[in-house]
Amino acid sequence: MSGWSTSDIPDQSGRTVVITGANSGLGAETAKALAAAGAEVILACRNAQKADVVAREIGSAATVARLDLADLDSVRAFADGLTGADVLINNAGVMAIPLGRTAQGFEMQMGTNHLGHFALTALVLPKITGRVVTLSSGMHQMGRIDLGDLNWDRRRYRRWRAYGDSKMANLMFGKELAVRLAAAGSATTSLIAHPGYAATELQGKSGTVEDVFMNASNKIFAQSAAAGALPSLYAATSPDATNGTFYGPTQMFGSRGAPGISGYNKRADDKAVRGGLWTTSEKLTDVGFPI
């Protein structure tokens, strides 16, 4: 897969792909590339106005649907309205933001990045015929799942640790979903991807002086959002992408370059924690998986 790019995406004619957070950054670039390859794309976004701009750029292959992952009522409404799709790409996320709470009281990063996508995947899984791709991050390395305080109700809030926790949860969820789908004999597969260091609107929202440095670093060191979308596109479309595998850039310690199999922190393979995260997530969201 050396040098894999958007020109290597197989023909996607007749396929439908749901992409969360496709109003900007990685999600928008993912939607554009898939539509260019022939797919119908559903831009599932909280900010429908921004998504409309992307949809107009794409053309008739794009549809906008409102989805606020920080509100499980919105997640259920979106799932009820989805008739079916070949691929679900769990792309949306927030990063290193001040302490906030979702509509159901979850810590905002865990609630949006993991719990919202967990509930969404469970609710739409019977309508997905091909793949579920969940985005994690290299920052999963700093994540440690605290099953006793997943939503930072008792711990002193640390925004970067909370982000790392949510990205570890994404990786664990994607891997656990793969195991359960395979055990059930399902034709649907679960894959995980990360963008490396890509310049997107995700950065610069911490509300601290760090934003100045992140914005400057984006301009100097980061690859483009289009390049950062390649691992997601590979996971979503390549016939060589396999169930349960984590994909990311292959150059400069996984920060940029063509997509390939990515290394990860082996804490993600802890079956007891993964199972506990799954059970806790089902309990918190009141959503069970039809597997």
Side-chain angles (χ1 to χ4, degrees):
M1 73 185 70
S2 176
W4 194 93
S5 70
T6 53
S7 64
D8 296 301
I9 297 175
D11 182 19
Q12 298 296 297
S13 298
R15 295 172 66 78
T16 299
V17 183
V18 176
I19 309 152
T20 68
N23 56 281
S24 66
L26 300 172
E29 295 298 333
T30 301
K32 292 173 187 177
L34 289 169
E40 299 287 326
V41 292
I42 299 174
L43 283 54
C45 305
R46 179 181 60 82
N47 191 327
Q49 186 175 11
K50 290 182 68 175
D52 283 337
V53 175
V54 178
R56 285 196 295 271
E57 182 178 347
I58 292 172
S60 60
T63 301
V64 174
R66 190 177 186 282
L67 170 64
D68 184 355
L69 290 161
D71 185 350
L72 294 182
D73 291 338
S74 176
V75 173
R76 291 187 176 92
F78 172 85
D80 288 344
L82 181 68
T83 57
D86 297 278
V87 179
L88 167 66
I89 302 180
N90 291 323
N91 164 85
V94 292
M95 183 176 78
I97 58 174
L99 178 62
R101 298 286 170 184
T102 69
Q104 283 72 36
F106 308 141
E107 186 274 315
M108 187 63 75
Q109 296 189 83
M110 185 63 73
T112 300
N113 299 353
H114 168 61
L115 292 171
H117 280 127
F118 180 92
L120 172 66
T121 305
L123 291 167
V124 304
L125 191 61
K127 305 176 183 181
I128 303 298
T129 61
R131 304 181 186 186
V132 176
V133 178
T134 301
L135 265 71
S136 181
S137 163
M139 293 294 288
H140 82 275
Q141 293 281 357
M142 67 186 298
R144 287 176 169 78
I145 301 300
D146 186 336
L147 293 173
D149 191 20
L150 197 65
N151 284 300
W152 296 82
D153 295 313
R154 292 183 292 278
R155 292 174 289 168
R156 181 177 65 84
Y157 181 68
R158 295 157 56 193
R159 66 190 71 198
W160 282 106
R161 168 64 191 277
Y163 178 68
D165 286 1
S166 73
K167 293 289 105 178
M168 175 60 83
N170 287 147
L171 179 54
M172 284 187 161
F173 166 60
K175 284 185 158 293
E176 186 66 18
L177 178 60
V179 169
R180 296 184 183 222
L181 287 169
S186 175
T188 303
T189 55
S190 169
L191 305 94
I192 316 95
H194 77 89
Y197 185 13
T200 71
E201 293 185 12
L202 195 64
Q203 294 101 337
K205 302 293 176 60
S206 72
T208 70
V209 70
E210 292 174 353
D211 293 345
V212 176
F213 296 102
M214 282 192 290
N215 290 332
S217 182
N218 270 0
K219 296 177 181 178
I220 300 170
F221 300 111
Q223 62 180 349
S224 68
L230 290 176
S232 299
L233 290 164
Y234 183 88
T237 67
S238 174
D240 296 323
T242 57
N243 189 43
T245 305
F246 187 32
Y247 295 99
T250 54
Q251 298 173 13
M252 292 187 67
F253 306 101
S255 65
R256 63 193 304 126
I261 295 174
S262 178
Y264 61 92
N265 193 299
K266 297 308 177 184
R267 285 195 298 272
D269 290 332
D270 189 316
K271 294 181 180 179
V273 177
R274 271 198 346 216
L277 176 64
W278 188 282
T279 300
T280 301
S281 299
E282 285 188 323
K283 181 177 180 180
L284 289 171
T285 62
D286 195 27
V287 176
F289 267 78
I291 302 175

